[in-house]
C-alpha cells in the first residue's frame, strides 16, 4: 500500500470526524435531545435554559464542549461518573504519556534508519510504499539494529515506570473513597446465595440461625430476595407517572412538529376505569413485601463493620462449594435483580454454555477477517476476482479499496460483537450490572485482540504463502520477516477508521439519537427510551483503548508512523471521554471501579 492510499483514508476519516463533531455541537443544544447527551439531573438544569425555540446559537456549531471537557477536574468526574470514570481517564493519560515518549524517540531515531535502511532510489513521498518506513526496509545484519533495540528498551522501561505511578495513584483514590463513604451500607453487606432448603423452616429462618451461630458478634440483620412481580409492575407505573408529573415538557403538546402528545397508559387506565383504580388501591394497601413474592435462596446479610463483611465474603462458609456462597454486596443501584433468583447450581452450566458460545462466535468471525485481509492485498484481490482488474487499475479506486474499505468492513462487522457479549454475560448470571459489564468487557477484549491482531496477521500470512504450514519450523521466520511488519498497513487504516471515526460516533450517540427521535416524533411518546440517562459503555470503549495500546507497543519500532496516528487518537479520546464521563450516569460508583482497575491496568 502506498502513502497516498493512507492519506486517502486519513482524509476521508478526518472529513467524517469533522462532520460528526459539528453535528454533535448542534444536536446537544436541542431540548429534545438533552436526555440523550446528559443525565436526568443535568438535563433538568439545562432545560431551564434554551427556552426560546428560535434561539440562533442552537443551530451554530461551537467548540464549547471541548473547553468544558478540558476544564472538568478529576474530582468532578469522580463525583458524577464514579471511580470507574477516573480509572478510565487515567488510562488515557498514561497512554498519552507513553506514546508521546515513543513517538518522539522512534520518529527521531528509528524512522530515518528504516527509511534509509537499504541503498535505493526513493520516490516522491506520496508515491512511496509503506514498507520503506518499516523494518522490512532494513538490511539483514545491519549494524544499526542496536538503535531499534535501545528504543524498545527505553519504551518498555518508561511504560513500567509510568504504570507503577498510575497504579499507585488509583490505589490512593480508591482508599480515599472507601474512607469517605462510611454511610454506604453496601460495604457492610454480603450477598449470600445457595441457601439450603429445609422443610422445617423458611429460608429467612435458616439464614438467621446460621449467621447467629457462626457470626454472633458481627451479624446484625438480613433481607431476603423475593420474586415480586406485582411490586415490579407498580414501580414501573410509578416511574411513568413520575416522568409525566416532573418533566415539564411531558405534559405539553408539540404542535410545531404536527404531533400531539398523549398521556401514558397508566393515567388513561386510572381515569377511564375508576373501579380498577379502587381495586388497585385496595391491593396496594394490603400488599406486603413478604407476601408479594416467593422467597429466593438468596439474601443480603448486614454486618456491624466492613472488616467483618469482607471476611465473611471471602471465607468458605461450607465444605460444599455450592452452598452458602458469599460475595460482597453491590450497591443497590448496581444490583441486577433478575439474576438473583437463578439457582447457584446453574451458574456452572451457564458459564460453560457461554464459553462454548463465545468460542463458536470467534470461529464464525474468521470469515470476515480473512475477507478483509484479501481486500488489503491488491495483487491477491485481482487474482481472486479477475473481473475487477479494470476497476482496480484506476488509482483512486485502488487507494480507496486498499486504504479505506478493509477497515470499514471490519468495523461494521464488529458492531455486532458488544451486544452479543453483553447477552452472554447476562446469561452467565452476573449479580450486578457492573459485573455484567466487566464480563462483557473481558470477552470483547479477548475477542478483539484475537480477531483483529492475531487472526489478521495469520490470515495475511496464509493468503500470501499458502504453503506456510508445510514447514512449521519456518513459521516464526515468516512472521518476523514479512507478515508482522506488512500487517501494519491494515492496522494503520484500522486506527483511523475504528479510532478516529469511532470516537466521533461515540460522541454523537447515533443509535440512542435515532431511538429518541422515533419515540418522540414518530411514536408520539412524551418520553424516550433514555430519559433515565445513558450509562457509559465500558464494555466497548475499554477494549478499543487497550487494543490500540497493544498495537502501539508492538509496532513502535517496526513501523513508527503508527505512533503518530495513535497519539492523535488518545488526545481526541481524552477530550471525548471526559465529556462523556461527565454527562452519562453510571451503574455503581465503586463496584465497577474495583474490577475496571484490574481490567485496564492488567491489560496495559
Amino acid at each position: 500500500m502506498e502513502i497516498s492510499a493512507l492519506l486517502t483514508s486519513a482524509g476521508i476519516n478526518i472529513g467524517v470526524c469533522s462532520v460528526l463533531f459539528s453535528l454533535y455541537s448542534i444536536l446537544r443544544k436541542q431540548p429534545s435531545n438533552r436526555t440523550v447527551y446528559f443525565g436526568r439531573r443535568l438535563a433538568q438544569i439545562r432545560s431551564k435554559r434554551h427556552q426560546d425555540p428560535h434561539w440562533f446559537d442552537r443551530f451554530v456549531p461551537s467548540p464549547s464542549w471541548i473547553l468544558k471537557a478540558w476544564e472538568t477536574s478529576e474530582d468532578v468526574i469522580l463525583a458524577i461518573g464514579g471511580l470507574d470514570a477516573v480509572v478510565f481517564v487515567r488510562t488515557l493519560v498514561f497512554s498519552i504519556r507513553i506514546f508521546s515518549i515513543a513517538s518522539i524517540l522512534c520518529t527521531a531515531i528509528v524512522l530515518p534508519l528504516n527509511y534509509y535502511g537499504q541503498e535505493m532510489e526513493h520516490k516522491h513521498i506520496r508515491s512511496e510504499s509503506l514498507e520503506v518506513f518499516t523494518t522490512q526496509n532494513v538490511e539483514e545484519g545491519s549494524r544499526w539494529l542496536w538503535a531499534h533495540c535501545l528504543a524498545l528498551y527505553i519504551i518498555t522501561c518508561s511504560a513500567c515506570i509510568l504504570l507503577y505511578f498510575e497504579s499507585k495513584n488509583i490505589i490512593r483514590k480508591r482508599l480515599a473513597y472507601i474512607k469517605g463513604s462510611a454511610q454506604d451500607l453496601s460495604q457492610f453487606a454480603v450477598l449470600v446465595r445457595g441457601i439450603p432448603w429445609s422443610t422445617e423452616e423458611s429460608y429467612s429462618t435458616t439464614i438467621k440461625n446460621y449467621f447467629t451461630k457462626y457470626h454472633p458478634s458481627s451479624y446484625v440483620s438480613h433481607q431476603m430476595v423475593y420474586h415480586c412481580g406485582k411490586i415490579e409492575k407498580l414501580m414501573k407505573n410509578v416511574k411513568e407517572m413520575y416522568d409525566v408529573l416532573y418533566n415539564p415538557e411531558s405534559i405539553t403538546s408539540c404542535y410545531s412538529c404536527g404531533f400531539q402528545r398523549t398521556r401514558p397508559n397508566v393515567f388513561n387506565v386510572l381515569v377511564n376505569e375508576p373501579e380498577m383504580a379502587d381495586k388497585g388501591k385496595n391491593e396496594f394497601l394490603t400488599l406486603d413485601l413478604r407476601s408479594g413474592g416467593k422467597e429466593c435462596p438468596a439474601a443480603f446479610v448486614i454486618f456491624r463493620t466492613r472488616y467483618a463483611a469482607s471476611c465473611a465474603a471471602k471465607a468458605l462458609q461450607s465444605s460444599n462449594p455450592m452452598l452458602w456462597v458469599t460475595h460482597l454486596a453491590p450497591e443497590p443501584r448496581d444490583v441486577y435483580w433478575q439474576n438473583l433468583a437463578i439457582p447457584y447450581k446453574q451458574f456452572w452450566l451457564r458459564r460453560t454454555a457461554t464459553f462454548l458460545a463465545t468460542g463458536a462466535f470467534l470461529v464464525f468471525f474468521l470469515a470476515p477477517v480473512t475477507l478483509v485481509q484479501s481486500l488489503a492485498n491488491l495483487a491477491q484481490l485481482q487474482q481472486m476476482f479477475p473481473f475487477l482488474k479494470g476497476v482496480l487499475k484506476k488509482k483512486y479506486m485502488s487507494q480507496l479499496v486498499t486504504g479505506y474499505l478493509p477497515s470499514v468492513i471490519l468495523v461494521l462487522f464488529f458492531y455486532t460483537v458488544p451486544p452479543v457479549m453483553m447477552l452472554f454475560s447476562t446469561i452467565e448470571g452476573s449479580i450486578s450490572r457492573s459485573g455484567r459489564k466487566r464480563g462483557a468487557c473481558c470477552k470483547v477484549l479477548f475477542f478483539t485482540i484475537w480477531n483483529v491482531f492475531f487472526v489478521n496477521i495469520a490470515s495475511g500470512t496464509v493468503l500470501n504463502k499458502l504453503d506456510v504450514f508445510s514447514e512449521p519450523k519456518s513459521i516464526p521466520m515468516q512472521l518476523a520477516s514479512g507478515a508482522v511488519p506488512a500487517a501494519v498497513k491494515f492496522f494503520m487504516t484500522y486506527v483511523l477508521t475504528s479510532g478516529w471515526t469511532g470516537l466521533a460516533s461515540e460522541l454523537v450517540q447515533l443509535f440512542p439519537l435515532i431511538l429518541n427521535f422515533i419515540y418522540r416524533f414518530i411514536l408520539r411518546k412524551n418520553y424516550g427510551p433514555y430519559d433515565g440517562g445513558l450509562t457509559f459503555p465500558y464494555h466497548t470503549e475499554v477494549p478499543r483503548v487497550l487494543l490500540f495500546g497493544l498495537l502501539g507497543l508492538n509496532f513502535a519500532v517496526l513501523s513508527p508512523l503508527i505512533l503518530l496516528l495513535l497519539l492523535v487518537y488518545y488526545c481526541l479520546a481524552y477530550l471525548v471521554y471526559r465529556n462523556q464521563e461527565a454527562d452519562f450516569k453510571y451503574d455503581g460508583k465503586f463496584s465497577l471501579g474495583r474490577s475496571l482497575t484490574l481490567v485496564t491496568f492488567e491489560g496495559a
Side-chain angles (χ1 to χ4, degrees):
M1 185 172 69
E2 297 180 354
I3 289 290
S4 56
L6 179 63
L7 294 178
T8 300
S9 178
I12 295 174
N13 285 284
I14 290 174
V16 173
C17 289
S18 301
V19 171
L20 291 179
F21 285 154
S22 301
L23 188 63
Y24 168 73
S25 65
I26 296 175
L27 292 175
R28 71 194 299 268
K29 300 175 185 178
Q30 311 308 315
S32 60
N33 298 329
R34 68 180 188 274
T35 53
V36 175
Y37 296 118
F38 307 98
R40 177 176 293 276
R41 182 176 62 86
L42 295 179
Q44 290 177 352
I45 294 175
R46 291 179 63 87
S47 65
K48 298 178 182 179
R49 311 172 189 174
H50 317 316
Q51 297 293 332
D52 185 7
H54 304 290
W55 186 43
F56 179 73
D57 291 345
R58 288 199 295 123
F59 303 98
V60 178
S62 63
S64 59
W65 67 271
I66 299 178
L67 299 177
K68 292 179 181 178
W70 178 263
E71 295 172 355
T72 303
S73 63
E74 285 191 1
D75 294 334
V76 175
I77 295 177
L78 179 64
I80 297 178
L83 187 61
D84 320 329
V86 176
V87 173
F88 189 62
V89 170
R90 295 308 303 178
T91 305
L92 297 174
V93 173
F94 163 79
S95 302
I96 292 174
R97 289 175 177 174
I98 187 60
F99 286 115
S100 297
I101 297 173
S103 298
I104 295 173
L105 184 64
C106 293
T107 305
I109 300 176
V110 178
L111 187 61
L113 294 177
N114 290 346
Y115 188 71
Y116 295 105
Q118 294 184 7
E119 295 182 1
M120 58 181 296
E121 182 179 353
H122 290 283
K123 307 175 184 177
H124 188 270
I125 192 67
R126 289 179 58 89
S127 302
E128 288 280 14
S129 175
L130 281 176
E131 281 80 1
V132 301
F133 296 96
T134 68
T135 53
Q136 280 185 294
N137 198 47
V138 178
E139 292 182 352
E140 186 176 352
S142 174
R143 61 189 180 92
W144 294 104
L145 287 177
W146 63 269
H148 296 74
C149 297
L150 178 63
L152 188 59
Y153 277 109
I154 293 175
I155 294 172
T156 303
C157 294
S158 302
C160 293
I161 294 172
L162 292 174
L163 191 59
Y164 168 76
F165 286 109
E166 289 295 341
S167 300
K168 189 176 180 179
N169 185 25
I170 292 300
I171 291 173
R172 189 185 301 113
K173 289 183 179 294
R174 183 181 171 212
L175 292 176
Y177 171 78
I178 294 175
K179 292 180 181 179
S181 57
Q183 302 300 321
D184 189 359
L185 294 180
S186 63
Q187 298 183 26
F188 296 82
V190 170
L191 176 63
V192 182
R193 293 181 296 169
I195 304 172
W197 166 252
S198 175
T199 57
E200 300 177 355
E201 55 187 12
S202 63
Y203 283 125
S204 180
T205 306
T206 300
I207 199 169
K208 181 178 180 181
N209 295 337
Y210 180 88
F211 282 93
T212 303
K213 179 180 179 180
Y214 292 104
H215 302 271
S217 60
S218 57
Y219 169 74
V220 176
S221 63
H222 69 277
Q223 173 61 58
M224 296 301 302
V225 177
Y226 297 90
H227 293 284
C228 297
K230 293 182 179 179
I231 294 180
E232 290 178 359
K233 185 177 180 180
L234 287 174
M235 291 296 294
K236 181 179 179 181
N237 292 341
V238 168
K239 182 180 180 300
E240 292 181 357
M241 288 187 285
Y242 176 86
D243 289 336
V244 172
L245 293 176
Y246 291 95
N247 189 355
E249 293 188 356
S250 62
I251 56 177
T252 60
S253 298
C254 181
Y255 294 103
S256 59
C257 298
F259 299 115
Q260 184 175 359
R261 299 188 181 274
T262 58
R263 296 172 296 183
N265 293 334
V266 60
F267 279 105
N268 293 333
V269 171
L270 292 178
V271 172
N272 296 332
E273 300 186 21
E275 63 278 2
M276 292 187 64
D278 295 337
K279 180 181 178 181
K281 179 180 178 181
N282 295 332
E283 288 184 358
F284 180 77
L285 293 175
T286 59
L287 184 63
D288 183 39
L289 182 62
R290 290 167 293 185
S291 63
K294 180 182 178 182
E295 281 186 341
C296 300
F300 293 95
V301 180
I302 312 298
F303 291 86
R304 297 184 185 278
T305 63
R306 286 182 292 206
Y307 177 77
S310 179
C311 291
K314 296 180 180 179
L316 187 63
Q317 303 293 334
S318 173
S319 58
N320 188 348
M322 306 300 291
L323 298 178
W324 297 107
V325 182
T326 54
H327 302 279
L328 285 174
E331 294 181 2
R333 79 189 80 184
D334 192 34
V335 178
Y336 195 71
W337 297 100
Q338 291 88 332
N339 285 348
L340 290 183
I342 299 174
Y344 189 75
K345 295 181 179 180
Q346 292 185 8
F347 286 162
W348 298 103
L349 297 175
R350 287 172 173 263
R351 290 175 182 174
T352 303
T354 54
F355 177 79
L356 296 176
T358 304
F361 201 50
L362 283 172
V363 175
F364 169 77
F365 252 80
L366 291 177
V369 172
T370 306
L371 172 64
V372 165
Q373 274 299 321
S374 65
L375 291 176
N377 192 330
L378 189 60
Q380 186 71 29
L381 186 62
Q382 291 178 351
Q383 184 178 357
M384 294 174 59
F385 304 101
F387 59 90
L388 295 177
K389 288 184 179 180
V391 178
L392 296 177
K393 285 182 180 180
K394 298 179 180 179
K395 189 174 182 179
Y396 178 78
M397 289 300 301
S398 64
Q399 293 174 358
L400 183 65
V401 170
T402 59
Y404 185 69
L405 194 58
S407 57
V408 171
I409 293 176
L410 190 60
V411 168
L412 292 177
F413 273 108
F414 264 80
Y415 273 119
T416 61
V417 175
V420 173
M421 295 305 175
M422 181 63 77
L423 176 62
F424 288 166
S425 297
T426 304
I427 297 174
E428 204 171 27
S430 178
I431 60 175
S432 64
R433 300 180 186 276
S434 58
R436 185 178 60 154
K437 275 194 176 181
R438 182 180 185 272
C441 181
C442 293
K443 291 181 179 63
V444 174
L445 177 62
F446 296 146
F447 187 93
T448 305
I449 291 176
W450 170 254
N451 279 284
V452 176
F453 186 72
F454 291 107
V455 175
N456 265 290
I457 293 175
S459 61
T461 305
V462 172
L463 287 174
N464 291 330
K465 295 186 178 181
L466 296 176
D467 60 342
V468 67
F469 293 108
S470 61
E471 299 180 4
K473 293 183 180 180
S474 65
I475 293 178
M477 181 63 68
Q478 295 290 342
L479 293 175
S481 62
V484 176
V488 75
K489 297 181 292 184
F490 166 76
F491 291 132
M492 292 175 73
T493 59
Y494 186 79
V495 170
L496 291 172
T497 304
S498 178
W500 295 12
T501 307
L503 283 175
S505 301
E506 166 61 25
L507 187 67
V508 176
Q509 294 292 305
L510 292 175
F511 184 69
L513 188 68
I514 294 173
L515 282 185
N516 182 71
F517 177 82
I518 293 174
Y519 266 72
R520 293 181 182 274
F521 300 109
I522 297 180
L523 299 180
R524 295 182 291 178
K525 291 188 176 181
N526 299 323
Y527 52 91
Y530 299 103
D531 273 5
L534 291 168
T535 58
F536 189 80
Y538 290 105
H539 63 293
T540 62
E541 305 309 314
V542 171
R544 181 188 300 173
V545 171
L546 297 183
L547 172 67
F548 290 155
L550 174 67
L551 295 179
L553 294 177
N554 276 277
F555 293 104
V557 175
L558 298 178
S559 181
L561 285 179
I562 195 174
L563 294 174
L564 302 177
L565 304 180
L566 288 172
L567 186 59
V568 173
Y569 163 77
Y570 281 115
C571 291
L572 288 175
Y574 180 75
L575 296 174
V576 171
Y577 290 134
R578 281 173 73 92
N579 176 78
Q580 302 296 80
E581 293 279 12
D583 288 340
F584 284 1
K585 78 171 188 177
Y586 55 101
D587 291 326
K589 187 183 294 184
F590 184 60
S591 300
L592 185 57
R594 288 195 297 255
S595 56
L596 186 59
T597 306
L598 299 176
V599 171
T600 52
F601 287 112
E602 283 181 359

